[in-house]
Amino acid sequence: MSLSDSFSMPDAPASDNDEIDSLPSTSTESFISEDDYDAQREWEQSLEQLQLLLTMILVPFAGKYFGRKFAYWGWARYMEWMHNVEIKWTNKTSFKVAGAAEAAATL
């Protein structure tokens, strides 16, 4: 047995090729009709739009809103610790609404 014989691959039987050929593909030939192809394309476009909505609007808004809440919370803790001043929010709902309005103002 030579060195080249140990690295040679045996020929694959014809049945293996049939299994590979029967695998589904994502080309237009795999769809039954043109309507299926159009429905798949519309589905992919709607998923792309949802992804853009999430990444361009919802995530930045949530980041700004919660970032502002954390900044106010941190500022209040710092003032209480460093200057011995007690910080109380008199109307929490208006504070939350103002925070949401500020976060949405520059989007």
Side-chain angles (χ1 to χ4, degrees), residues 9-106:
M9 296 188 60
D11 293 333
S15 63
D16 288 343
N17 291 336
D18 292 339
E19 291 176 9
I20 293 173
D21 291 338
S22 68
L23 292 175
S25 65
T26 58
S27 68
T28 58
E29 297 168 0
S30 66
F31 295 107
I32 295 172
S33 68
E34 191 68 28
D35 292 335
D36 291 339
Y37 177 71
D38 291 340
Q40 178 68 24
R41 192 176 71 230
E42 287 180 18
W43 173 252
E44 290 171 358
Q45 287 176 348
S46 65
L47 285 178
E48 185 179 343
Q49 289 174 353
L50 285 173
Q51 180 184 9
L52 285 173
L53 174 73
L54 182 69
T55 59
M56 297 293 226
I57 296 174
L58 296 178
V59 171
F61 176 77
K64 284 179 76 174
Y65 178 75
F66 288 116
R68 289 176 192 267
K69 283 183 67 104
F70 180 74
Y72 288 130
W73 176 83
W75 174 78
R77 296 297 166 253
Y78 172 76
M79 292 299 287
E80 289 174 359
W81 172 70
M82 189 68 166
H83 301 290
N84 201 20
V85 175
E86 186 176 344
I87 305 295
K88 288 188 177 183
W89 310 115
T90 56
N91 191 347
K92 288 191 177 195
T93 56
S94 66
F95 178 72
K96 288 181 182 180
V97 169
E102 287 177 13
T106 57

